[in-house]
Amino acid sequence: MPLAGQLTMSNPARDMSFETEMVDNSPGLFLLPKELHAIWWGLGGGRDARVMITNTSGASAAADVFLDFQGQRHASAGLTFAANETKVLSINQLLGDLNVSPAAAPEGGITIVPTGATPTLVAQGRIIDPATGFSTTLNFLDPSVQLVSTLHTSGLPIGTPTADSPYAGTGSFTPHVIARNLLGTAQTISITVEYPKIAGWDSTHFRKLADGSVGTAGDFTGEMPLAPLSLGPYETVDFSLDSVMSQLPLPLPYASIRVQYSGPPGSAIAEVASVEAKGDLVVDGRLENLGDGWAGSGANPWHLDAQTDSILFLSNMGEQECRIGFRMDTQGASYYLTQVMLKPHETRSINLRKLRDAQKPDFKGNLIPAGAADGSVEWIRLSNQPVMGRLLVLRHQQQSASSYQCQTCPCAASYTGLDVTPIEVAIVVGLDYYFHATASYGGCWLPFYTDVTDSATWSSGNTSVATVNRYGVATGVGAGSASMTANYCGVTYFWSGTYCTASGEPCYNNSGTCNVQVPTSLSIVGTDSTTAESSCTTGGSAGCGVTRTFKYQVNDQNGQPIRVANMAFGDVICNTATNQLNLQSYSTTCSGTTGSCSGTSGPCGQFTDANGQFSETVSVCAPACKPSGTCITAGQTIANQTWKVAGHPLNSDVKSLSYQCNKILVNGK
Amino acid sequence: MRTVLLLAVSLLTAANAAAQSGTTELQARLDAPVSQYSLSGNGIADALAKIAKQFELPMGIEWVKDKEALRSFSRTWSNETVRHVLRSIVDAYPGYAFRVDRGVVHVFRRDLANDSHNFLNLKVPEFFEVRQEVGGFANVQLREVVQNIVSPRNLPPGAGVGGSYATGIDEKPLTLTLRGLTVREALDKLVDASEHKIWIVTFSDAPGRTPTGFRRTETLWHPTPFPDKDQPMWDFLTWQEYMLISAPVAQPSKP
């Protein structure tokens, strides 16, 4: 996948857009379908379906054409192509050639069968109503990639979307499922509507329930199965969900649709489109087959401007959770999401504008440049679960929507290594620090990453220094250094040409180093000032005194600063025998003002700043300082102050406070 | 043309706040639009403190830690005002009300507003003054004075007091006149003037009063009633400190 391409043409005057994706036709890959099958629907009343067919070969080519409608297959005139020729067919015209009006066959299917040994034709179509602006893509699907009889599409608007929906304000929508039976015998189709049950459908992180539990699939995604529909031989049915929408818990941000058919894999194809009430906006959703491994990856250009949003919808079509590798590339920078894991049947919506504007660093510290308007988004499943995705580009002003599903790899990405971050960190005894384990994946052109912190096995190299729990949370126990090691086992994959299978289960480990600091002492740093109090009152008695303010630095067992924010602290002040100022109590940072010792060592809501520092104001107010109306030095009161920082009492660093009338000394200074 | 609004939270604040009084600035913050906001709180005090922090509202909260007030709260608002968000929370807890006084949102239980057993209705003694002192230290001194009323120290004649107050934030010195105000009004005034923007008085639900007849208190960091000799206590926080109180470590531990 060195290069992926897509083409978009828009007509703002008619609020219409047309988009198509480049097809990989590299010699030897043979990705072009052996048969081309498409569906038309809603014809009549001036609406036509146009089909564009291109011969990608430098040699001539030919094809047979069949039209399925009214329960029968009809042969149409064959096609011949010159080298690299493109032909445009009108379904209305083809029907007319068979003396059938479009109104008599509003739904049907077209099949193009190349007659050469090597497929060379690609095709795409469009159903257009110039009067209303109705415009929808007519995809040519390849039944041969359908390995199971289940199809799925992702993230369609339904009803009037919620205010927080990507589709908010764009109208009221009715999804249509148009299914075509490729068999000459009847079969049934079963449609299931999947929808987000709780908030978090736009999350870029691992999801949990409000109570913190991981929950089950049904907690996150609701499912409403519809009654099975009969599909006659060669029949195409346009099933509008209008009649069943009242059974859904509307409004919804979006819904996804699953279509199961009773025939063998590849015996039916389907299209899904959500039509706005006025008919001027149709949101297409291409259906992917659950057995098509190619559906589990994507790479598309994205664009953002004042009127344009790009939304990536990702759906897990399977029954197991599935991690997703995600990256955005723009202006030479890469940005990763490492915590996207889809619950079974969950559809997640990732708004690329929100992601850009959040300016939140990824696990490598990278940001999406704030002004970035164009780039590419790439994603892939990291386990062998059926997953699909599509990039929706909404142009609000034009009332148009484009859906892109450029696929890049047939297999899940393979596990290639494990990193632990940070490589080295200093933590405080008694406090916690999160280590992270990030697994790297390759095998699909680009590297991807996923956060396996909670899934890895963690161990400490020295539990007397620091312990680590199953979530990678290290807790400082004692002074020293210890390694925090994560071990994680993943899966590598191999594509057989048809199936994606596991080829290995490698395990990797890596470590970070935890240097544990123990709060041991406080040193006075900077900001030291004394203010004389000419008068003060202690419960009614007049006195005078002094206030001193300075800043403390918390130091570790080696006398080195502990530059850690949010260490809680508190102090206790105790009387000594020297009490010449007749001080009877001390107000302290935390509670308590009575007895031989005042205060508690907390914590009580005070925390160090980002440098592991805090300010202290010590004060004294004593009538003994003012025997005749003038503040004088009348002796001193010595008290001992003991601090507790981050839960660790600094018992070996008891401060001697000398309260005097014109100064307060700490340890004699 | 229709536009999709996808902002998580959008706030418009008064541009010329510096030129306006605290009350006017607060009114502007309360009237600011909120495009979307979700909140989960473990009771009224938690919910209120979270929106005080989120929307930077100076706030005084007096609540009783009973079963009703600890009922969890969870809600999402779209296209409302901050005032509506605040009202939604207060209305969810019967008996509570709010008003805006002196540049502070004041949330209280109605039956306690004029209760003589509520120390917040005490008058600050005439001798109390705040002169070139930081807000946190002034709060400690106010607490000392109030404790001496609720839990009299009975200091002997000529007794002096010493003190220590420590903080990790930078505070500017204040000079305020609080004498004659109720303790509630004094706390409002401290919140209005200082870097500390939330005061929370948590009354215990346990029966009984202090020997002097006052309702007993707890704090967020001390979730049981204090000994009577140390009554009353309260929390006096900056906006940033609120969540740290409930997670007083560098990073919160996982379960």
Side-chain angles (χ1 to χ4, degrees):
Chain A
M1 200 276 301
L3 184 66
Q6 65 189 32
L7 173 69
T8 304
M9 291 182 288
S10 62
N11 183 344
R14 289 182 178 272
D15 292 346
M16 297 172 83
S17 68
F18 174 82
E19 67 280 340
T20 188
E21 290 162 27
M22 307 299 180
V23 176
D24 192 337
N25 189 32
S26 307
L29 273 181
F30 304 112
L31 295 177
L32 302 188
K34 294 176 181 173
E35 293 184 0
L36 297 164
H37 298 270
I39 295 170
W40 74 76
W41 56 285
L43 298 192
R47 192 175 294 182
D48 191 12
R50 298 289 179 93
V51 175
M52 290 70 73
I53 311 160
T54 295
N55 175 16
T56 64
S57 166
S60 59
D64 296 326
V65 178
F66 302 94
L67 302 181
D68 291 358
F69 57 89
Q70 296 173 345
Q72 288 187 317
R73 175 157 288 186
H74 307 265
S76 187
L79 300 173
T80 58
F81 297 85
N84 302 116
E85 182 186 5
T86 295
K87 287 182 181 296
V88 179
L89 304 179
S90 160
I91 297 296
N92 284 0
Q93 181 63 50
L94 295 180
L95 290 171
D97 293 344
L98 296 171
N99 296 317
V100 176
S101 71
E107 291 88 37
I110 179 171
T111 295
I112 301 168
V113 183
T115 55
T118 302
T120 64
L121 301 182
V122 295
Q124 195 174 42
R126 199 77 184 160
I127 304 173
I128 295 173
D129 187 339
T132 64
F134 180 98
S135 171
T136 184
T137 299
L138 195 157
N139 290 303
F140 275 81
L141 306 165
D142 184 1
S144 69
V145 301
Q146 295 191 25
L147 302 182
V148 297
S149 300
T150 305
L151 303 165
H152 198 282
T153 192
S154 181
L156 288 169
I158 186 165
T160 301
T162 55
D164 54 355
S165 163
Y167 299 104
T170 54
S172 181
F173 293 84
T174 302
H176 289 247
V177 177
I178 308 100
R180 177 187 172 191
N181 183 3
L182 298 176
L183 297 178
T185 56
Q187 61 174 311
T188 59
I189 62 169
S190 301
I191 299 170
T192 302
V193 181
E194 301 171 348
Y195 54 88
K197 275 180 87 173
I198 59 174
W201 44 264
D202 55 351
S203 172
T204 54
H205 300 281
F206 297 133
R207 293 182 70 186
K208 289 185 177 179
L209 298 177
D211 63 5
S213 64
V214 295
T216 63
D219 294 324
F220 297 89
T221 302
E223 297 191 46
M224 188 183 77
L226 310 184
L229 300 169
S230 176
L231 206 54
Y234 298 121
E235 186 181 19
T236 299
V237 171
D238 173 5
F239 180 71
S240 167
L241 266 62
D242 188 43
S243 60
V244 298
M245 280 168 51
S246 61
Q247 300 171 40
L248 287 165
L250 300 176
L252 291 167
Y254 54 79
S256 296
I257 292 174
R258 187 167 78 236
V259 178
Q260 291 171 282
Y261 52 90
S262 60
S267 65
I269 60 173
E271 294 265 13
V272 174
S274 212
V275 182
E276 205 277 323
K278 295 194 295 294
D280 63 345
L281 175 60
V282 181
V283 178
D284 295 327
R286 199 167 74 195
L287 285 150
E288 302 287 1
N289 187 269
L290 263 66
D292 181 8
W294 288 90
S297 62
N300 286 100
W302 53 264
H303 176 72
L304 300 173
D305 61 37
Q307 293 296 330
T308 306
D309 277 313
S310 291
I311 315 289
L312 180 67
F313 286 102
L314 296 168
S315 289
N316 181 355
M317 304 182 287
E319 304 299 330
Q320 304 291 326
E321 285 188 327
C322 186
R323 293 176 180 271
I324 301 293
F326 174 101
R327 59 184 285 163
M328 288 173 72
D329 290 276
T330 180
Q331 300 179 9
S334 298
Y335 182 85
Y336 299 92
L337 291 180
T338 57
Q339 294 193 343
V340 178
M341 182 153 67
L342 302 178
K343 304 282 183 184
H345 300 293
E346 178 191 359
T347 293
R348 193 80 62 89
S349 160
I350 298 177
N351 185 320
L352 303 192
R353 179 192 300 281
K354 278 187 178 178
L355 209 52
R356 180 196 67 180
D357 293 349
Q359 288 294 293
K360 185 176 178 184
D362 68 6
F363 81 106
K364 289 176 178 257
N366 297 332
L367 295 170
I368 304 167
D374 294 283
S376 63
V377 58
E378 300 88 14
W379 64 273
I380 189 168
R381 59 190 172 134
L382 301 182
S383 60
N384 199 11
Q385 289 295 303
V387 171
M388 69 162 294
R390 69 191 188 99
L391 183 72
L392 173 80
V393 178
L394 263 176
R395 287 170 288 273
H396 298 285
Q397 193 170 32
Q398 295 178 26
Q399 282 283 284
S400 67
S402 300
S403 178
Y404 302 101
Q405 286 167 255
C406 179
Q407 298 161 354
T408 54
C409 286
C411 251
S414 290
Y415 177 45
T416 57
L418 183 69
D419 286 313
V420 170
T421 53
I423 295 173
E424 186 168 13
V425 68
I427 71 170
V428 177
V429 66
L431 295 192
D432 297 337
Y433 193 90
Y434 275 69
F435 278 86
H436 289 276
T438 305
S440 51
Y441 285 76
C444 185
W445 308 106
L446 298 168
F448 292 90
Y449 304 92
T450 186
D451 184 340
V452 294
T453 303
D454 290 1
S455 305
T457 303
W458 289 90
S459 60
S460 167
N462 188 343
T463 54
S464 65
V465 171
T467 59
V468 63
N469 70 7
R470 58 175 293 198
Y471 303 106
V473 181
T475 303
V477 175
S481 294
S483 61
M484 301 291 117
T485 301
N487 184 284
Y488 180 73
C489 301
V491 181
T492 58
Y493 293 98
F494 169 74
W495 190 48
S496 66
T498 305
Y499 296 101
C500 180
T501 55
S503 58
E505 294 186 19
C507 297
Y508 299 100
N509 62 62
N510 215 327
S511 301
T513 299
C514 200
N515 298 317
V516 180
Q517 294 179 291
V518 181
T520 303
S521 64
L522 300 173
S523 57
I524 294 177
V525 291
T527 312
D528 195 342
S529 62
T530 298
T531 303
E533 298 288 338
S534 60
S535 65
C536 55
T537 306
T538 60
S541 301
C544 65
V546 68
T547 297
R548 179 183 175 188
T549 299
F550 51 87
K551 184 166 279 190
Y552 270 135
Q553 169 71 55
V554 181
N555 298 319
D556 70 4
Q557 66 279 10
N558 298 316
Q560 296 300 308
I562 302 177
R563 302 194 185 284
V564 173
N566 300 327
M567 289 186 286
F569 55 80
D571 62 326
V572 174
I573 298 177
C574 298
N575 296 329
T576 66
T578 303
N579 189 8
Q580 295 166 339
L581 300 185
N582 194 25
L583 301 188
Q584 296 297 309
S585 67
Y586 303 95
S587 61
T588 58
T589 302
C590 296
S591 68
T593 56
T594 58
S596 59
C597 290
S598 296
T600 65
S601 53
C604 60
Q606 299 294 336
F607 305 93
T608 56
D609 65 14
N611 294 315
Q613 299 178 350
F614 61 90
S615 296
E616 181 180 19
T617 298
V618 281
S619 64
V620 61
C621 176
C625 293
K626 194 179 179 184
S628 60
T630 302
C631 287
I632 62 166
T633 301
Q636 64 175 344
T637 292
I638 304 292
N640 288 330
Q641 182 184 36
T642 306
W643 289 91
K644 189 174 183 180
V645 179
H648 197 84
L650 311 189
N651 291 328
S652 60
D653 187 47
V654 176
K655 303 292 182 188
S656 170
L657 302 181
S658 171
Y659 291 98
Q660 302 175 31
C661 292
N662 60 348
K663 59 186 175 186
I664 299 173
L665 303 180
V666 181
N667 289 343
K669 298 179 181 175
Chain B
M1 180 184 76
R2 282 169 277 186
T3 303
V4 178
L5 294 176
L6 293 169
L7 296 175
V9 175
S10 177
L11 270 179
L12 298 175
T13 56
N16 57 344
Q20 297 176 321
S21 70
T23 298
T24 305
E25 181 179 350
L26 176 56
Q27 295 289 0
R29 291 186 184 198
L30 289 169
D31 291 334
V34 178
S35 61
Q36 187 166 357
Y37 178 59
S38 295
L39 172 72
S40 293
N42 297 319
I44 184 171
D46 184 45
L48 289 169
K50 282 176 177 171
I51 68 159
K53 177 176 184 172
Q54 174 72 46
F55 301 109
E56 297 193 343
L57 306 175
M59 186 175 289
I61 304 167
E62 52 185 293
W63 68 300
V64 179
K65 201 169 100 175
D66 57 18
K67 188 176 177 181
E68 179 65 18
L70 285 171
R71 189 166 37 83
S72 61
F73 182 93
S74 181
R75 187 165 165 185
T76 296
W77 296 267
S78 297
N79 300 317
E80 295 290 356
T81 63
V82 175
R83 187 188 303 275
H84 179 88
V85 172
L86 172 62
R87 180 170 290 120
S88 301
I89 297 170
V90 175
D91 288 350
Y93 294 90
Y96 286 86
F98 81 93
R99 62 171 179 254
V100 178
D101 291 326
R102 299 173 290 278
V104 177
V105 174
H106 183 213
V107 182
F108 55 98
R109 209 173 80 168
R110 289 190 183 90
D111 61 322
L112 295 180
N114 299 306
D115 184 357
S116 61
H117 305 294
N118 181 350
F119 75 90
L120 289 167
N121 292 316
L122 291 172
K123 294 283 187 183
V124 176
E126 287 294 321
F127 62 80
F128 185 76
E129 60 181 4
V130 176
R131 190 175 53 189
Q132 286 297 298
E133 288 160 358
V134 298
F137 186 55
N139 175 66
V140 171
Q141 289 183 306
L142 177 64
R143 190 178 72 201
E144 170 90 351
V145 166
V146 176
Q147 284 177 338
N148 204 29
I149 299 172
V150 174
S151 313
R153 302 288 188 255
N154 298 318
L155 297 177
V161 294
S164 163
Y165 162 73
T167 179
I169 63 171
D170 291 329
E171 299 184 66
K172 63 180 185 296
L174 306 171
T175 296
L176 299 172
T177 300
L178 303 179
R179 64 180 64 127
L181 299 179
T182 64
V183 176
R184 180 186 295 111
E185 291 166 339
L187 286 172
D188 282 352
K189 202 164 182 175
L190 279 175
V191 156
D192 186 40
S194 75
E195 293 77 9
H196 298 258
K197 293 301 179 187
I198 308 173
W199 63 260
I200 304 175
V201 172
T202 303
F203 290 110
S204 170
D205 187 36
R209 306 263 195 271
T210 68
T212 49
F214 290 92
R215 285 180 173 271
R216 294 191 173 95
T217 57
E218 306 173 11
T219 66
L220 300 179
W221 59 273
H222 193 284
T224 56
F226 283 86
D228 285 338
K229 66 184 180 62
D230 290 329
Q231 289 285 346
M233 286 290 291
W234 59 82
D235 292 291
F236 190 64
L237 310 169
T238 64
W239 286 314
Q240 293 76 18
E241 285 170 336
Y242 175 64
M243 292 309 287
L244 293 174
I245 284 274
S246 53
V249 290
Q251 296 184 68
S253 297
K254 288 187 178 180

